Each structure stands twice: as C-alpha cells, then as structure tokens.
Amino acid sequence: MIIILSPAATDNDLDELLTNLKDRGYGVHLSKGVEKTIVGVIGAHDDVKPMIAEQLSSLAYIERVVPILKPYKVVGREFHPDKSIITVRGVDIGGQKVVVMAGPCSIETEEQTLEVAKAVKAAGASILRGGAFKPSTSPYSFHGLGEDGLKMMAAAREVTGLPIITEVMDARDIELVSRYADILQVGTRNMANYSLLQEIGACRKPVMLKRGMASTIEEWLQAAEYIANKGNYNIILCERGIRTFETYTRNTFDVSAIPALLGLTHLPIVADPSHGTGKFSLVSPVAKAAVAAGCDGLMIEVHPHPEKALKDGPQSLTPDHFAAMMQEIAAVARAVGRYV
Ligand code: PEP
Ligand code: MN
C-alpha cells in the first residue's frame, strides 16, 4: 500500500508517520516528488491493510491510503511516480541523455578490449560492456575468461574512464564480479534465478536485469521486485528480445515493451538490439526504433573483427559501423527531446 501525504504535511509529520510504520515492523520506501510525498509500506499482510488504512486516514496530514493491487510494488510507478535515475561514476541512466553501453560480447584479450573501449568512447559511448562470465546455450561454447577478463575490463576503464558493466551468473561470484564491475548484469537465462536476484538485492551495486527470453513484462517486473525487495533499488531493465515463432532473427525485439514499461515502472529502460536481432545489419534500425520509443539507453555489441569474434560475431558492429549508428541515433534522440 502507499500513503500519499497532503501538501500541507510537514517534515515532523513525515517523521511521525515513518516511526509509526517502522514500530509496526514494516519497511518503508519514501518518494519525495515535486508535487507529492508518497510513502510505500513494505511487508504489511493483506488482512491488516484495511485496518492500517483506517487508522492512518484519521491523521490530517494524510491525503489518501491506496492499496497496490499489482504483483510488483517497489518497482511500480505508484510507489515512485518520478523516474529513477541511477548514477554510475557520474553517468546518469534514466535522465535526458540516452546512455550507450558498448563493447564486445566476450572479453578476449587485453588489446581487443582496449581497442574497442577507445573506439566506442570516441564515438560517444558512456559505458563499456563485455562478458567475462559467459552464459551459453551450448556447454561446448566459449565461457569467458573469468577474473582475467574482469581485469582486462578494469584496465580499459583505467585508460578510458568508462564505467564497466559485466554479467554475473552465479551468486557465488557476486563478490568477485562486484570488485571490478560498476554495474552487474543479470542475463536473460538468469532472469528467473530468484536466489541470484535475492543475493544481488542484498548488495547495493547497480544491476541491469535483462528480460527473460520467454518472460512476460509482468514476470520481468516481479523479477526486478525480488532485487528491490531486498533493498537494492539501483535497477535498470534491459529489453533484449523474446522467443517467438520467427527464426529469421535470433529473437524478436519487443519495442512495445519500452513504452509499456515507461507507464508501469520508474526504473530506467535499456534496449539491446544486438541480442534482440542477432544480425548486425538490423542493429542500427532497431536501435533507432528503441530510442524513438523512449528507451533510456542502448547496449550494443562491438568487435574490431566480428569475423574472428569468439562469440556473437554476426550481431557485432565494427567500430566504424558503431560510429555511424551513433550519428543516426543522435538525430532520432533529438526528435524525441533526448540527446546521446
Ligand atoms: C550478453 O549481453 O552478453 C548476453 C549474454 O545477453 P543475453 O543474456 O541477453 O543473452
Ligand atoms: Mn553476446
């Protein structure tokens, strides 16, 4: 349930309310918007909510007590009507700028990582992506360099200043990956790995949660709720395509998920047209569609030699293609009141 304070409520009123709720053993989530202050109550059982609502509505400084009927609460717009901005080493994700995260699918060598990092930075990317722990459908594929790969990303950050995002696949690796990463990535195959989500919720590292390839928007938001529910609100969502009957593309990129999410959640939304299409020639057009639809960021795979990439070469842009894409999305961003 959420409690909306009346415009006349003072700081003392707010303190009194928070103490009242905490004394009852509930968690609180405070959202101080420009127009309204909203207190989200976490942990109250359905059967006691009507009683709490009745008690609190006797207080003059409370405008309304509203139950939240949706299965996700903390990540929903009702809880927090303003958009959330997640700041990573000075980069704001969820603001006016469309933040571009770019880099290789897999970290392969120090030279490859640095070459891509410099190229994507020069073209306007704000964050370096790269996989060191790689999930794979086949057990025989490349699974990444592990900690050596993380070190290579950290070295590229030293040189370029770009914050880094990388995947964590196993709760046992959260501590290790967090030592290097600025943003943890949860991949599509782990979106519903609830124990991993809960462990990530217990740390405060920003996390980007990719959509499960067979998950509905509501299931995805509930997965995000698993992280938020443990106290980590630094969550970014990433649409990366879903499975449909279409096989021409690797996945079907669900562009409609972006405006749908904008209405449902305050979390920033990133689009990944690389995994969303699986084909380099489709990456730039779909990136433009995602920006037009209102995404807060893009995740793009870039490799200096896609034909030699250990993973996902067919969907990787060369640095030149990436620079051209950046020009194209800048024009679209301007058209929708954003910038790159
Ligand atoms: C990735 O971004 O490297 C990746 C494996 O993506 P996904 O989990 O979306 O397949
Ligand atoms: Mn990939």
Side-chain angles (χ1 to χ4, degrees):
M1 60 200 257
I2 57 173
I3 301 167
I4 303 169
L5 270 65
S6 86
T10 64
D11 286 349
N12 280 347
D13 295 334
L14 178 61
D15 284 347
E16 183 188 284
L17 175 66
L18 296 180
T19 310
N20 181 330
L21 294 167
K22 284 179 188 159
D23 286 350
R24 293 172 192 246
Y26 304 136
V28 290
H29 174 82
L30 183 61
S31 168
K32 269 193 166 179
V34 188
E35 306 208 336
K36 285 193 187 313
T37 296
I38 296 176
V39 177
V41 184
I42 305 161
H45 280 291
D46 284 348
D47 47 350
V48 297
K49 282 179 186 167
M51 183 192 75
I52 303 171
E54 197 173 296
Q55 290 171 338
L56 296 182
S57 51
S58 68
L59 296 166
Y61 59 84
I62 287 175
E63 189 177 287
R64 252 174 326 136
V65 180
V66 188
I68 296 187
L69 302 173
K70 295 205 173 81
Y72 47 89
K73 323 252 177 221
V74 184
V75 304
R77 271 263 165 162
E78 284 109 330
F79 237 71
H80 189 101
D82 295 333
K83 273 207 77 164
S84 284
I85 296 183
I86 307 211
T87 305
V88 180
R89 287 185 187 256
V91 178
D92 284 346
I93 306 164
Q96 284 300 102
K97 183 179 164 90
V98 178
V99 171
V100 179
M101 312 174 173
C105 178
S106 303
I107 298 298
E108 297 169 2
T109 65
E110 205 162 324
E111 297 71 38
Q112 169 239 20
T113 309
L114 194 55
E115 183 179 346
V116 177
K118 285 180 176 166
V120 299
K121 182 179 177 172
S126 306
I127 295 177
L128 175 65
R129 67 142 284 144
F133 291 92
K134 293 301 305 175
S136 257
T137 303
S138 166
Y140 304 113
S141 309
F142 179 57
H143 282 94
L145 299 179
E147 187 171 7
D148 287 343
L150 299 175
K151 287 183 177 156
M152 291 172 194
M153 289 193 87
R157 173 177 56 205
E158 269 310 294
V159 175
T160 60
L162 293 177
I164 56 185
I165 176 167
T166 194
E167 179 159 356
V168 59
M169 290 168 55
D170 190 313
R172 290 168 295 190
D173 296 328
I174 293 173
E175 201 267 322
L176 169 71
V177 179
S178 297
R179 260 189 266 140
Y180 296 92
D182 298 300
I183 307 173
L184 301 173
Q185 177 171 316
V186 175
T188 189
R189 293 164 185 79
N190 268 321
M191 187 212 82
N193 181 342
Y194 300 119
S195 56
L196 175 66
L197 301 179
Q198 284 176 319
E199 291 290 333
I200 287 179
C203 72
R204 293 294 174 267
K205 263 284 167 198
V207 52
M208 188 171 88
L209 178 66
K210 289 189 136 192
R211 179 178 186 175
M213 61 181 91
S215 297
T216 65
I217 290 173
E218 203 162 82
E219 287 161 349
W220 184 15
L221 288 170
Q222 287 177 88
E225 188 81 10
Y226 265 93
I227 301 172
N229 174 271
K230 291 279 173 194
N232 187 351
Y233 301 140
N234 297 314
I235 308 166
I236 301 155
L237 299 171
C238 177
E239 164 61 40
R240 51 78 70 202
I242 48 175
R243 277 286 166 85
T244 66
F245 57 80
E246 181 57 76
T247 53
Y248 180 75
T249 47
R250 183 176 177 183
N251 290 287
T252 298
F253 182 82
D254 182 7
V255 74
S256 65
I258 298 166
L261 286 168
L262 286 169
L264 298 174
T265 178
H266 51 89
L267 301 177
I269 305 150
V270 165
D272 172 354
S274 303
H275 295 90
T277 65
K279 286 183 157 63
F280 79 91
S281 59
L282 303 182
V283 169
S284 185
V286 174
K288 285 187 278 185
V291 172
C295 71
D296 300 299
L298 292 167
M299 169 165 267
I300 308 288
E301 286 189 341
V302 180
H303 196 287
H305 305 287
E307 73 287 358
K308 294 187 196 155
L310 293 181
K311 246 177 148 35
D312 289 355
Q315 68 193 37
S316 298
L317 301 186
T318 60
D320 284 350
H321 279 139
F322 177 71
M325 183 209 78
M326 290 297 282
Q327 299 290 326
E328 292 185 27
I329 61 165
V332 176
R334 267 197 303 279
V336 294
R338 309 285 286 269
Y339 68 100
V340 178

